[in-house]
Amino acid sequence: MIHISTSSLFLTKKIAVLALSSLGIASIAQAYSYDFEGLTTDGSSINGNGNANASGWYGSNYVSSAYGVSASTENSPWSAGSGSLLQSFDSTVTPPSGVFKPSPYLYFTDHTGTTTGSPSTSVTGALGASMTGSGYSMSWDFKTTNVESQPVFVLADSSGTEVITLDVRQASSNVLRYYDGATEMLDDTPILDDTWYRFEIIDIDVLNDTYGFNVYEWNGTGGTVIASASDLDFRSDVSDLDMFRMKVNSNATTEYYLDNVSIIPEIRSFSMLLGLSACLSVVVLKRRRS
């Protein structure tokens, strides 16, 4: 009988992870998902009770239910939950001095007292490490009552540099804008009011500074692809991705709903990890037989 100890298998997996990291493959074999269930509806819920901070979230520049970030009973049709994150902006309400448009942030690493998003409370990172290497996807569900308020979604590096940006341009009939490097690109399909969308950023490759995306519109029974692109260049060459942000780009009164945020390593990362682990296990077996 051939016996392989638990410590040997652990060492094998550890070596596999290190080997994948050296090859530039996503070394964080950790999926993340958050659906904002169980938060309180007051404006402090994202930073206080219900504590989305423990799941990587921080909300900045909110001062009241009319101008801020809180929980909502509105829910994405892609899930069976009962709530989502609500960001509201009332252009008739004058905010206190120094307070600008509200914005929720999702940090991938632990943050507190930094200038990137300026979290005043401790935030536990969603992934425990920045995105490096290649092989990630990120998705979220979204709806707004007023598309002309121009929603913006950003993936940024640890210094706050915008790397991937998707937003809606009012001057172009409320269509999706994205970037291929420094080149501004527009999709010709309009984004609609009071309609749920699923955004997917795919094939995120920090090594080669490239990505792709898909946008799905809810059609009553499922999602229809309305926009898609691949092999796009980052807006800036970076060594990591550490933050997701949703923000407002105009002063129009509106409400935004954010739900079902997820980050996953691509299947190929897991496949290579398992394959390399299997190869190294054979090595361990041969060594123990000899």
Side-chain angles (χ1 to χ4, degrees), residues 168-184:
V168 177
R169 301 309 299 161
Q170 179 181 348
S172 304
S173 303
N174 299 326
V175 299
L176 183 72
R177 178 174 67 171
Y178 59 98
Y179 291 86
D180 187 1
T183 304
E184 179 183 293

Side-chain angles (χ1 to χ4, degrees), residues 144-166:
T144 180
T145 59
N146 185 0
V147 177
E148 291 189 355
S149 57
Q150 301 178 61
V152 183
F153 306 98
V154 171
L155 271 168
D157 75 347
S158 53
S159 68
T161 300
E162 293 193 10
V163 177
I164 298 172
T165 305
L166 301 178

Side-chain angles (χ1 to χ4, degrees), residues 94-165:
T94 301
S97 176
V99 175
F100 302 98
K101 301 179 184 71
S103 183
Y105 294 78
L106 174 64
Y107 291 105
F108 303 157
T109 57
D110 295 347
H111 277 257
T112 184
T114 64
T115 57
T116 307
S118 302
S120 57
T121 58
S122 178
V123 183
T124 302
L127 294 177
S130 298
M131 289 185 188
T132 57
S134 62
Y136 294 95
S137 293
M138 181 171 184
S139 65
W140 61 91
D141 298 345
F142 172 78
K143 172 185 173 180
T144 180
T145 59
N146 185 0
V147 177
E148 291 189 355
S149 57
Q150 301 178 61
V152 183
F153 306 98
V154 171
L155 271 168
D157 75 347
S158 53
S159 68
T161 300
E162 293 193 10
V163 177
I164 298 172
T165 305

Side-chain angles (χ1 to χ4, degrees), residues 17-18 20-22 24-30 129-130 132-134 136 269:
V17 171
L18 291 174
L20 284 177
S21 179
S22 68
I25 305 300
S27 58
I28 305 173
Q30 175 181 346
S130 298
T132 57
S134 62
Y136 294 95
S269 298

Side-chain angles (χ1 to χ4, degrees), residues 33-116:
S33 64
Y34 193 70
D35 58 9
F36 303 101
E37 305 298 324
L39 295 183
T40 56
T41 56
D42 65 87
S44 66
S45 64
I46 192 172
N47 292 341
N49 296 328
N51 215 334
N53 290 129
S55 295
W57 290 93
Y58 174 78
S60 69
N61 294 337
Y62 56 81
V63 294
S64 71
S65 60
Y67 188 90
V69 183
S70 63
S72 169
T73 56
E74 179 79 25
N75 190 68
S76 165
W78 273 282
S79 66
S82 60
S84 59
L85 187 69
L86 167 65
Q87 175 178 312
S88 62
F89 184 87
D90 188 343
S91 62
T92 66
V93 176
T94 301
S97 176
V99 175
F100 302 98
K101 301 179 184 71
S103 183
Y105 294 78
L106 174 64
Y107 291 105
F108 303 157
T109 57
D110 295 347
H111 277 257
T112 184
T114 64
T115 57
T116 307

Side-chain angles (χ1 to χ4, degrees), residues 178-185 209 211 230-235:
Y178 59 98
Y179 291 86
D180 187 1
T183 304
E184 179 183 293
M185 311 288 285
D209 302 293
Y211 73 104
S230 60
D231 297 321
L232 302 171
D233 290 329
F234 286 177
R235 297 183 67 181

